[in-house]
Amino acid sequence: MGGDIILRRCNHKSTRQIVEEVVEEACSEKVFWNRRYAPDQTEIDKEIKAQLSEKDIEVTSFNGALLCEPWTVKTNSGDPYKVFTPFWKSLKDQFVPSHPKSIPDLKFAEGIKSEKLEDWELHPTKPDWSGGLDKFWSPGEDGAKEQLKEFFDAGLKSYKTDRDRPDKAATSFLSPYLSFGEISPHFIWMATQSRMDEDGSLEDQGWAFLREIAWRDFSHNLLYQSDCLHKKNWNRRFDAFDWQSNDAYLTAWQKGQTGYPMVDAGMRQLWQTGWMHNRVRMIVGSFLVKHLLIDWRDGEDWFWDTLVDADTANNPASWQWVAGSGADAAPYFRIFNPMSQGEKFDPNGDYVREWVPELKDLPTKYIHEPWEAPKEKLRSANVTLGETYPKPIVQHKAAREAALEAYERTG
DNA sequence: TTTTGAGTTGTTCGA
DNA sequence: GTCGAACAACTCAAA
């Protein structure tokens, strides 16, 4: 549709100043944008809108990121939902996907000063540590649509059961594309519906998938209502929780060196690819918060820095869910057992073997708890606990009991 | 206003 | 080995 992208960094200036400068330089008559939902963001956008309107510039904003705007999904009494299931029912009933609007006839200003993308050095060069990322993702709208098609051809038909299996590629892998707005949930909704129309046997699977897509909306609803979702406990009772600060534990977790194969596999997958399977996110999250009693905000920070799909709503909402401090959160006594989760969702140990290759020759029986392996099995697999692979940094049973006790004190 | 049923994802223990 | 109950109590949402 023509026009150049103008890149400017704020540095010491405010977003408002930058927008005003560009609008002035380009002699713009109209300004359009997609809405954001964190309270501090909506505040800035509101200011900019007011400022520009005063100068008789037409400002129009759109929903580009969500199925429904947060203020439109309400309970019968007009309050926002705090529980996902009724939220989903309500959204499903009222939602009408909107087709892409035709592009208005716009004239673009030319010769507006722009910074160079290369100068931002977003892509690492020396050293280029992003090889793992490049291998897995093709940024952009085309890459997103290609990924959706691949999911329809492969993962969707067994989505309901296999989406929990990190050893299989049964999830959509759309999270980074959604996060950066390279594909919209409206598009996904319509595409999934038409796939279900073509093939009625996919009905259940399709709805299960769309339900997950709706979780993004739910998280954004919480963000919209919240006062700093990534810093403050949704449930303020957790303000009194006695989190332990232990840098050695935190580092071991970040590097995938906890001695629990399922946890380490997840953390290494994250580091190498920028992504982690959803089931494994719960396992590593539960481990950080409950086994290590480390503040969920430290986990949220790390995910924010390392995940390619981290966004301002899902990341904090999900961490608060795991920690138990969130809306509709996990009950305090739900403490994931990394061994049984591994046996259940990575039954052949393929996922662990891929990301923790130093254990790859261990028999499947011991792959999720190498410390239980007899000496000769360890030796023939070239595993020396404490040397080639860490011993568990905490004991599961004791850690579990400590967590239950700590959570009981808070409740 | 009051009541009622339900709430993403689990683990452990004892029969 | 399998299965049901306990793990708490609370808040939410709708009837």
Side-chain angles (χ1 to χ4, degrees):
Chain A
M1 65 191 262
D4 298 320
I5 291 179
I6 297 157
L7 303 168
R8 302 244 177 130
R9 275 177 294 190
C10 289
N11 295 326
H12 55 279
K13 290 180 189 166
S14 68
T15 312
R16 205 182 85 188
Q17 284 171 299
I18 298 282
V19 172
E20 277 174 13
E21 278 175 18
V22 174
V23 163
E24 204 158 300
E25 286 170 41
C27 304
S28 306
E29 292 165 8
K30 298 178 180 180
V31 175
F32 306 93
W33 68 68
N34 285 340
R35 294 186 197 109
R36 313 184 288 171
Y37 300 95
D40 54 329
Q41 296 173 330
T42 52
E43 201 52 44
I44 293 171
D45 293 356
K46 222 186 277 175
E47 265 180 39
I48 297 175
K49 195 169 199 166
Q51 196 76 15
L52 293 174
S53 300
E54 237 171 67
K55 297 181 181 171
D56 282 332
I57 291 165
E58 186 187 321
V59 183
T60 319
S61 62
F62 297 90
N63 165 18
L66 300 178
L67 294 168
C68 297
E69 294 292 12
W71 50 88
T72 63
V73 188
K74 295 269 183 70
T75 65
N76 293 342
S77 51
D79 298 320
Y81 282 97
K82 297 182 172 72
V83 179
F84 177 73
T85 304
F87 171 87
W88 164 237
K89 279 190 194 135
S90 163
L91 184 149
K92 205 167 97 169
D93 287 347
Q94 76 172 66
F95 178 64
V96 182
S98 72
H99 292 264
K101 300 193 171 38
S102 58
I103 298 163
D105 188 22
L106 299 171
K107 279 201 191 74
F108 289 91
E110 279 170 24
I112 306 297
K113 200 172 70 203
S114 171
E115 294 180 33
K116 285 203 179 75
L117 186 58
E118 306 86 73
D119 293 345
W120 289 10
E121 295 177 350
L122 296 174
H123 202 268
T125 48
K126 296 179 277 188
D128 182 356
W129 45 261
S130 69
L133 271 68
D134 286 347
K135 215 163 78 191
F136 286 92
W137 311 108
S138 312
E141 190 177 357
D142 292 342
K145 287 185 173 160
E146 185 56 37
Q147 185 60 55
L148 181 64
K149 190 176 171 298
E150 227 175 287
F151 169 61
F152 284 164
D153 291 343
L156 183 61
K157 62 179 177 298
S158 61
Y159 184 76
K160 264 179 96 170
T161 46
D162 286 350
R163 74 188 190 83
D164 262 328
R165 290 285 297 271
D167 56 335
K168 298 183 176 186
T171 59
S172 74
F173 296 97
L174 286 173
S175 55
Y177 302 103
L178 276 163
S179 174
F180 285 102
E182 295 161 23
I183 195 167
S184 78
H186 279 246
F187 185 88
I188 292 174
W189 186 284
M190 285 186 284
T192 308
Q193 294 290 352
S194 65
R195 193 75 193 80
M196 289 192 281
D197 289 343
E198 284 164 28
D199 181 349
S201 72
L202 292 173
E203 182 88 8
D204 270 12
Q205 311 290 339
W207 281 114
F209 173 56
L210 292 178
R211 193 172 193 271
E212 296 305 311
I213 295 295
W215 269 93
R216 290 182 67 259
D217 270 49
F218 187 62
S219 297
H220 281 82
N221 262 39
L222 298 179
L223 175 72
Y224 183 70
Q225 298 167 57
S226 75
D227 168 29
C228 210
L229 194 61
H230 71 289
K231 285 275 179 267
K232 292 190 187 164
N233 292 305
W234 175 273
N235 177 350
R236 301 309 293 269
R237 268 212 303 252
F238 273 77
D239 290 355
F241 196 96
D242 187 20
W243 300 111
Q244 307 292 301
S245 58
N246 185 322
D247 287 345
Y249 282 178
L250 181 59
T251 306
W253 178 80
Q254 290 169 336
K255 296 195 161 166
Q257 297 286 345
T258 66
Y260 286 91
M262 206 55 194
V263 174
D264 294 341
M267 297 307 291
R268 296 185 199 181
Q269 179 184 32
L270 170 61
W271 183 249
Q272 289 172 44
T273 69
W275 187 88
M276 194 195 307
H277 188 278
N278 175 255
R279 165 62 47 178
V280 191
R281 293 188 197 197
M282 290 189 273
I283 300 171
V284 303
S286 171
F287 189 84
L288 182 77
V289 164
K290 299 196 170 168
H291 285 75
L292 304 181
L293 289 173
I294 290 177
D295 197 322
W296 62 265
R297 279 160 283 229
D298 290 329
E300 202 273 343
D301 276 347
W302 184 252
F303 272 28
W304 180 256
D305 286 344
T306 51
L307 272 175
V308 286
D309 61 34
D311 82 27
T312 51
N314 289 321
N315 198 40
S318 303
W319 270 100
Q320 295 222 46
W321 178 85
V322 170
S325 66
D328 205 11
Y332 78 93
F333 53 79
R334 183 173 294 150
I335 299 167
F336 286 73
N337 176 327
M339 294 79 80
S340 50
Q341 285 283 312
E343 282 152 21
K344 207 164 159 188
F345 298 111
D346 181 29
N348 307 316
D350 297 342
Y351 180 73
V352 165
R353 288 196 179 87
E354 180 172 7
W355 300 108
V356 189
E358 65 265 40
L359 298 179
K360 71 177 179 356
D361 294 326
L362 268 183
T364 300
K365 189 172 178 209
Y366 304 108
I367 194 85
H368 295 297
E369 40 193 342
W371 58 90
E372 294 289 347
K375 279 199 183 95
E376 68 274 11
K377 299 275 186 199
L378 288 172
R379 201 178 315 117
S380 60
N382 286 317
V383 176
T384 311
L385 291 178
E387 287 178 32
T388 62
Y389 183 72
K391 293 178 179 166
I393 54 170
V394 292
Q395 292 304 310
H396 169 69
K397 193 160 186 280
R400 178 172 194 277
E401 280 160 14
L404 285 171
E405 200 186 311
Y407 272 77
E408 198 163 335
R409 276 201 301 276
T410 299

